[in-house]
Amino acid sequence: LTTNRTTILEEAFNLEVPIKIPPPCPPRLGLDVTKYCRYHQSIGHNTRDCLALKDKIEELIQAGYLA
């Protein structure tokens, strides 16, 4: 991908692409509270570094929702 995952997620929301957002993860000790993932709606990692979101974006591309 040439665009960061955060931008792709925002654009997908704007286009009303059917993205099933996972339920928020409960906070755990040791997580980096300065990082927030909009896809997971929880702390611990940034949206741009989210591997699950990377896989979801690839799935949406294959399904024809994103180009």
Side-chain angles (χ1 to χ4, degrees), residues 17-19 55-67:
V17 172
I19 297 177
D55 292 342
K56 177 53 87 174
I57 290 169
E58 180 62 32
E59 182 181 308
L60 292 169
I61 290 169
Q62 295 297 323
Y65 289 108
L66 300 173

Side-chain angles (χ1 to χ4, degrees), residues 27-56:
R28 298 184 320 251
L29 290 176
L31 291 178
D32 187 342
V33 297
T34 65
K35 296 179 179 179
Y36 180 78
C37 178
R38 182 138 190 265
Y39 179 64
H40 285 106
Q41 302 173 0
S42 62
I43 60 171
H45 64 275
N46 291 320
T47 308
R48 71 175 180 269
D49 300 324
C50 181
L51 297 178
L53 179 56
K54 177 182 176 259
D55 292 342
K56 177 53 87 174

Side-chain angles (χ1 to χ4, degrees), residues 9-27:
L9 181 63
E10 293 300 324
E11 189 64 28
F13 285 150
N14 291 338
L15 295 172
E16 298 180 6
V17 172
I19 297 177
K20 183 174 179 170
I21 301 296
C25 301

